Structures are given as structure tokens and as C-alpha cells.
Amino acid sequence: MEVIKRLENYPIETSLSAIKALEHLVEVNPEYHWTIIDMLTKFVRNTTTNLCSQEVTGDSSANMRAVIQAAMTVIVRRDTNKDPENEQIDLSYTDLRGINLQNANLEKSNLYQANLSKVNLSGANLECAILSASNLSGANLNFVNLSGAILSAANLSGANLSGANLHRANLYLASLHDAILNDTMLDGANLREAKLNF
């Protein structure tokens, strides 16, 4: 769709307007639900890959981060009941630093090797999500649902996991140095060779 080109090549106001138009299109034409969500997901994946080597605080980067935030907001508050049965949100290898994902619904999403360092994921639903080798250092994971999530070799150093649900999560080889684990549910979690400092 032509509208996606605006997200990458037009001024921030035009890009944000385009995302709002896409969200409205999803609401009034449910048959386009997954087409648009998948399109926005690919946009986030492609754009954040290009931003990986740039400073998050740079002007052009900051503008693009605002556009990425708007796209992610549509993705994480979508009606998941309209997702096709065998499809998955693919945010693997994305750099989502600086994005607010509080209360986001990313259940069963693929976030393999995603950079979520210092991201606010408080109250988010990441049940059964793939977070292998992801960077969650310093992230706010307060009351996040990570039940059944795959966090093998993930970096959770300094993350706030207070009240988080890690029931049956796979934390094999994960780094939990200096992580805050107050009232964290770890029953049934795989902590084999996880790096803990308590």
C-alpha cells in the first residue's frame, strides 16, 4: 500500500497521520486487520534495523522513534481475536529502545534478539512470547506476564521483575544479575545455568 511509503519518507506529521488512517481502516474494515498489522510490524522491523547504529537521541532518529512508537501502539492494542490462528507478530531483531510498551499485548510474539533495554513493559502480556537472546537489561517488567515465555540466554540484568509472572518460563542461560525479583512468580520456571547473584 502506498500509505506505508509515507511512514518512511515523509515528514513526521504525515507519517503519524498515515498510521492513524491505517488504525481507522482496521476498525472500519476488519478484513484488512492482519494485512495492516503485518505491514506495520514489517515497517517497525525494517526501520529499527536501520536505526540500530544511530544514536537514539539524534533529531532524525527521535522523529523516527515517534513514528515507530505510533506504529507499535497500534500493534499492541489491536484486537487479538482478529489475528489469524497460525500467524505471529514478528518483532525479531528489532531495536525498541525508547518505546513505551506499558500494558502492551504481545502474547506469543517473536522478539528474538530484540533490544528492549530500559523499555517500560510494566503490566504487559508476553505470555508464551519468544525472547531468546533478547536484551531486557534495566527494563521495567513490573507485573509483566511472562508465563511460558522463552527467555533462554536473555539479558535481564538490572531489570525490575517485581510481581512478574514467570510461571513455566524458560530462563536457561539467562542473566539475572542485579534483577529485582520481589514477589516474582518463578514456579515451574527453568533456571538451569541462569546467572543469579543471590
Side-chain angles (χ1 to χ4, degrees):
M1 296 173 91
E2 282 297 314
V3 72
I4 275 296
K5 292 180 182 177
R6 293 191 233 167
L7 303 183
E8 299 172 345
N9 303 314
Y10 280 66
I12 183 170
E13 295 81 6
T14 307
S15 298
L16 294 175
S17 177
I19 291 171
K20 189 167 285 190
L22 287 171
E23 184 172 31
H24 178 69
L25 187 59
V26 169
E27 291 169 357
V28 297
N29 294 289
E31 64 270 25
Y32 295 129
H33 169 85
W34 188 252
T35 300
I36 290 171
I37 295 301
D38 188 50
M39 187 187 309
L40 289 172
T41 304
K42 285 175 181 172
F43 162 72
V44 171
R45 209 166 53 239
N46 294 340
T47 308
T48 59
T49 299
N50 294 334
L51 285 175
C52 277
S53 60
Q54 298 178 26
E55 285 295 321
V56 178
T57 53
D59 287 343
S60 60
S61 180
N63 284 344
M64 188 49 71
R65 290 278 167 189
V67 178
I68 293 166
Q69 176 70 68
M72 283 300 301
T73 299
V74 175
I75 292 165
V76 302
R77 70 181 181 195
R78 74 197 186 284
D79 183 355
T80 55
N81 293 321
K82 294 176 182 172
D83 289 355
E85 189 175 339
N86 296 314
E87 295 290 353
Q88 180 186 49
I89 296 294
D90 184 2
L91 293 164
S92 56
Y93 300 100
T94 52
D95 182 352
L96 296 173
R97 289 172 299 162
I99 304 301
N100 182 6
L101 295 173
Q102 184 175 14
N103 298 320
N105 188 356
L106 288 166
E107 181 180 1
K108 298 179 181 176
S109 296
N110 181 3
L111 288 149
Y112 176 74
Q113 281 199 27
N115 189 347
L116 294 153
S117 177
K118 298 183 180 178
V119 168
N120 181 12
L121 280 154
S122 176
N125 180 13
L126 287 157
E127 183 176 1
C128 296
I130 299 168
L131 289 147
S132 300
S134 61
N135 181 4
L136 289 151
S137 60
N140 182 2
L141 298 166
N142 195 28
F143 293 106
V144 72
N145 180 10
L146 284 160
S147 176
I150 301 171
L151 290 146
S152 51
N155 181 4
L156 291 149
S157 299
N160 180 5
L161 285 154
S162 297
N165 179 4
L166 286 156
H167 175 68
R168 295 188 179 280
N170 183 357
L171 290 148
Y172 175 67
L173 288 175
S175 175
L176 289 153
H177 288 301
D178 299 319
I180 301 169
L181 299 169
N182 299 330
D183 299 318
T184 304
M185 292 175 56
L186 288 163
D187 57 308
N190 176 9
L191 291 163
R192 190 162 64 93
E193 295 189 52
K195 299 169 184 68
L196 303 161
N197 60 343
F198 60 84

